């Protein structure tokens, strides 16, 4: 455990913890969303009233409550209000299909749901597919008549505030996040009250060094583990101000917030950084107030980070986290950034790279990444086999491959199921991709394995070009050959208009592999 951080008490409620931390900031702005501002004092009152409103609607301790909401102050109030009441919020990705929601509704056996107006039809369609009956549907910011049996979010806020929080434990199941499902059915990942505390203390304060004076803005949404820390638990733990945005984080939507609300800290994903740098209306350095940027979700190519820093004059702190560990556990840090790497373990976490027999690998050898730390999830809901495979005693298996150099910096080498063995030697798809995106004509790319006519595995690159750019297959191959070991260049190149991705922006290489299999 990190020596300088005290563990939370045995009886611990994270929502009450945040309220207590900010008692002296009642007039300060906590949240800025598309409709206005909420002060810390107003936030505390809304959390307590919403908690009471949930109980009045018939929800009980440990009942699951689906949150199918666009980012807003209501999202924060619903999540923390549920925690305060001892109800278990289940944060859902707003970009999924009705079938996905039906699966999650059935899998979680949720007793209630809070839903944004625009997402009501999706929830209703999902509810019609399953036998599980929801006791109450709460609509955030409704327009027009409410669906039959539903209640307005504001109705719950009229309840007499709960004076005392539910007497929850730090180790108690507090909320769920569904894994992004990049390798199959989403898994309900069960987290504790204490896990929110640990990530805020170890990463939000310990690495990012967030300050009360900061205004933070996360392109990654609140339903995403990365976004939940970025825009809720971290800033509210230090009394900072949070910018929330309901719409999708297009470059133009992000630029609007960066230039008008002037956040000092921005959190994004590599795809987003690349897209913004390619946008013709990229703001000038003098039009923003950024002091620090963060990246996670996928490894950040060094070339993108360097271009961002050259333009805006602020570092991009690349890290890796996971739904299972709740947030970042391996990261670069301010003043100690080595672009192209994922940095070093976050203090409070231990990291090991192991070979297929479980032994630790030597420096500069590829190994499977395992993590030990206090924010690990309890389990995958109703999935004992996957739980045992991932949560191995005190260690969590990440599913990622990494190398560590002699200075202790870790470099991403791909997912376990993405690694390629070409001519008996491991090739990291990410290494080839990182090289390809350095070409000025390439917007993004993905690399997978493809069998040649002899049945041998070779690399294939799917390349998305920037608008108006032209490139030949031979030019792509030559570009990689000049920069990497000869066996690593892509033997096959296909130019495509876009790459398949999860709703959180991760490239789904398995879909590209399925396409290739379908062609043969």
């Amino acid at each position: 455990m990190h020596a300088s951080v005290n563990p939370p008490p045995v009886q611990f409620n994270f929502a009450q913890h945040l309220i207590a931390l900010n008692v002296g900031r009642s007039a300060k702005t906590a949240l800025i969303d598309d409709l206005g501002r909420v002060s810390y004092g107003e936030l505390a009152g809304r959390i307590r009233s919403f908690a009471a409103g949930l109980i009045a609607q018939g929800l009980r301790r440990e009942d699951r409550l689906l949150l199918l909401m666009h980012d807003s102050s209501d999202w924060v109030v619903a999540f923390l209000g549920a925690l305060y009441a001892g109800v278990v919020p289940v944060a859902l990705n707003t970009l999924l299909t009705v079938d996905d929601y039906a699966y999650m509704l059935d899998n979680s056996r949720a007793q209630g749901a809070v839903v944004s107006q625009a997402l009501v039809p999706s929830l209703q369609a999902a509810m019609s597919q399953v036998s599980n009956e929801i006791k109450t549907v709460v609509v955030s910011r409704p327009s027009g008549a409410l669906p039959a049996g539903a209640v307005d979010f504001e109705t719950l806020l009229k309840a007499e505030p709960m004076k005392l929080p539910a007497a929850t434990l730090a180790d108690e199941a507090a909320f769920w996040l569904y894994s992004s499902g990049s390798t199959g059915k989403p898994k309900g990942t069960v987290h504790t009250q204490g896990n929110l505390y640990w990530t805020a203390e170890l990463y939000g304060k310990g690495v990012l060094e967030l300050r009360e004076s900061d205004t933070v803005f996360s392109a990654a949404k609140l339903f995403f583990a990365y976004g939940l820390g970025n825009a809720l638990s971290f800033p509210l733990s230090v009394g900072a101000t949070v910018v929330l945005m309901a719409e999708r984080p297009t470059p133009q939507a992000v630029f609007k917030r960066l230039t008008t609300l002037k956040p000092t800290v921005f959190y994004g994903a590599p795809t987003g950084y690349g897209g913004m740098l390619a946008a013709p209306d990229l703001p000038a350095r003098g039009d923003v107030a950024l002091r620090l940027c963060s990246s996670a979700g996928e490894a950040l190519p060094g070339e993108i980070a360097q271009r961002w820093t050259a333009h805006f004059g602020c570092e991009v702190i690349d890290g890796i986290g996971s739904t299972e560990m709740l947030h970042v556990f391996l990261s670069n840090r301010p003043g100690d950034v080595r672009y192209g790497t994922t940095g070093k373990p976050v203090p409070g976490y231990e990291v090991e790279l192991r070979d297929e027999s479980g032994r630790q690998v030597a420096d500069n050898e590829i190994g499977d990444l395992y993590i030990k730390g206090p924010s690990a999830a309890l389990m995958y809901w109703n999935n004992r086999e996957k739980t045992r495979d991932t949560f191995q005693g005190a260690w969590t298996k990440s599913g990622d491959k990494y190398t560590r150099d002699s200075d202790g910096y870790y470099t991403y080498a791909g997912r376990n199921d993405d690694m390629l063995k070409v001519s008996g030697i491991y090739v990291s798809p990410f290494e080839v991709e990182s090289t390809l995106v350095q070409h000025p004509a390439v917007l993004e790319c993905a690399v997978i394995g493809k069998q040649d006519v002899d049945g041998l595995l070779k690399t294939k690159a799917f390349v998305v070009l920037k608008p108006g750019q032209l490139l030949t297959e031979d030019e792509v191959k030559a570009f990689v050959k000049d920069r990497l070991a000869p066996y690593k260049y892509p033997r096959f190149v296909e130019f495509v208009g876009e790459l398949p991705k999860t709703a959180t922006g991760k490239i789904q290489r398995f879909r590209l592999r399925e396409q290739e299999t379908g062609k043969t």
Side-chain angles (χ1 to χ4, degrees):
M1 216 59 73
H2 194 220
S4 63
V5 176
N6 293 319
V10 173
Q11 185 172 314
F12 179 76
N13 183 289
F14 185 74
Q16 172 59 25
H17 169 69
L18 290 184
I19 290 171
L21 284 176
N22 293 297
V23 163
R25 301 187 181 98
S26 60
K28 186 183 177 190
T29 299
L31 309 171
I32 304 172
D33 71 6
D34 298 338
L35 294 188
R37 295 171 180 247
V38 176
S39 71
Y40 271 99
E42 290 168 333
L43 178 59
R46 291 185 191 187
I47 289 167
R48 289 179 166 136
S49 291
F50 191 82
L54 288 176
I55 302 301
Q57 289 293 320
L59 287 167
R60 300 171 300 173
R61 280 279 298 270
E62 301 182 13
D63 278 349
R64 265 81 67 191
L65 174 73
L66 299 185
L67 302 189
L68 181 56
M69 307 170 71
H70 293 128
D71 281 15
S72 67
S73 60
D74 283 1
W75 201 110
V76 176
V77 169
F79 183 83
L80 293 175
L83 293 186
Y84 194 89
V87 171
V88 177
V90 180
L92 300 189
N93 186 326
T94 58
L95 304 172
L96 301 180
T97 66
V98 168
D99 288 346
D100 289 322
Y101 297 137
Y103 169 78
M104 292 168 177
L105 182 57
D106 194 44
N107 179 252
S108 67
R109 302 192 201 102
Q111 296 297 296
V114 189
V115 58
S116 293
Q117 174 66 48
L119 297 165
V120 168
S122 295
L123 178 65
Q124 288 180 311
M127 288 168 62
S128 71
Q129 291 185 22
V130 297
S131 57
N132 175 44
E133 288 191 22
I134 283 187
K135 289 178 184 173
T136 185
V137 174
V138 182
V139 181
S140 168
R141 302 177 180 178
S143 57
L146 288 166
V151 295
D152 188 336
F153 194 94
E154 294 297 318
T155 301
L156 273 69
L157 295 182
K158 292 173 184 172
E160 186 68 27
M162 272 180 77
K163 288 187 172 62
L164 295 174
T168 52
L169 305 177
D171 285 344
E172 185 167 322
F175 66 100
W176 295 16
L177 299 170
Y178 274 94
S179 67
S180 60
S182 56
T183 54
K185 280 283 188 193
K187 299 179 287 294
T189 311
V190 182
H191 277 285
T192 68
Q193 295 273 352
N195 285 357
L196 290 160
Y197 168 88
W198 281 117
T199 55
E201 293 296 316
L202 297 177
Y203 191 69
K205 296 180 185 179
V207 172
L208 296 179
E209 299 176 351
L210 292 183
R211 311 162 187 165
E212 182 181 5
S213 58
D214 279 321
T215 297
V216 308
F217 174 41
S218 176
K221 298 299 186 179
L222 285 163
F223 63 75
F224 191 20
Y226 181 48
L228 182 64
N230 297 344
L232 195 154
S233 56
F234 296 0
L236 299 185
S237 290
V238 299
T241 297
V242 183
V243 174
L244 298 167
M245 177 178 77
E247 66 189 293
R248 293 186 73 165
T250 62
Q252 287 65 41
V254 172
F255 296 160
K256 179 181 174 183
R257 273 78 182 178
L258 291 181
T259 56
T260 60
L261 297 172
K262 301 291 178 95
T264 54
V265 178
F266 173 72
Y267 310 85
T271 302
Y273 282 108
M276 285 188 283
L277 286 168
D281 51 345
L282 181 70
R285 183 186 296 196
D287 293 334
V288 304
L290 295 172
R291 73 167 184 87
L292 182 66
C293 293
S294 161
S295 179
E298 283 194 300
L300 178 68
E303 185 264 347
I304 288 177
Q306 286 162 347
R307 284 170 52 212
W308 183 270
T309 297
H311 184 84
F312 286 113
C314 68
E315 295 174 319
V316 184
I317 309 302
D318 185 30
I320 182 176
S322 67
T323 306
E324 291 75 12
M325 294 302 294
L326 187 56
H327 213 274
V328 171
F329 49 79
L330 184 63
S331 181
N332 284 277
R333 56 207 63 191
D336 182 18
V337 175
R338 192 169 293 191
Y339 287 140
T341 80
T342 316
K344 297 179 177 180
V346 170
Y349 294 88
E350 293 179 46
V351 167
E352 286 186 0
L353 300 182
R354 304 176 185 173
D355 63 17
E356 291 170 2
S357 64
R359 288 189 293 266
Q360 291 193 55
V361 302
D363 285 350
N364 301 311
E365 287 186 13
I366 292 174
D368 295 318
L369 179 69
Y370 286 75
I371 314 101
K372 181 162 73 170
S375 63
L378 293 172
M379 62 177 167
Y380 297 129
W381 180 254
N382 285 355
N383 197 332
R384 193 176 192 188
E385 183 181 0
K386 291 278 189 186
T387 295
R388 282 181 159 181
D389 183 53
T390 298
F391 303 104
Q392 301 181 5
W395 293 89
T396 301
K397 184 172 76 173
S398 71
D400 294 293
K401 286 188 181 289
Y402 264 82
T403 60
R404 181 189 59 246
D405 67 20
S406 56
D407 294 328
Y409 291 86
Y410 288 74
T411 299
Y412 183 64
R415 291 286 300 171
N416 283 3
D417 50 3
D418 290 331
M419 288 297 290
L420 308 173
K421 220 165 193 177
V422 179
S423 303
I425 308 171
Y426 270 124
V427 173
S428 161
F430 183 76
E431 183 183 20
V432 182
E433 291 164 4
S434 298
T435 302
L436 270 172
V437 295
Q438 293 174 35
H439 195 289
V442 174
L443 179 63
E444 58 184 2
C445 61
V447 171
I448 64 167
K450 172 184 169 69
Q451 288 189 338
D452 64 14
V453 291
D454 298 318
L456 298 172
L457 196 68
K458 305 295 182 188
T459 47
K460 174 169 181 175
F462 293 83
V463 178
V464 180
L465 296 176
K466 293 176 182 175
Q469 297 292 318
L470 293 173
L471 206 57
T472 68
E473 189 172 331
D474 286 342
E475 286 171 332
V476 169
K477 293 178 180 179
F479 187 80
V480 178
K481 275 184 187 176
D482 284 346
R483 288 159 178 79
L484 295 180
Y487 67 90
K488 295 181 179 180
Y489 83 91
R491 305 313 201 273
F492 308 99
V493 178
E494 183 175 335
F495 296 101
V496 294
E498 61 180 358
L499 297 171
K501 294 173 184 170
T502 67
T504 51
K506 294 182 182 178
I507 295 170
Q508 293 176 308
R509 294 179 189 82
F510 76 97
R511 295 221 180 277
L512 296 173
R513 288 194 289 270
E514 287 171 357
Q515 290 173 24
E516 285 302 307
T517 303
K519 291 176 186 175
T520 54

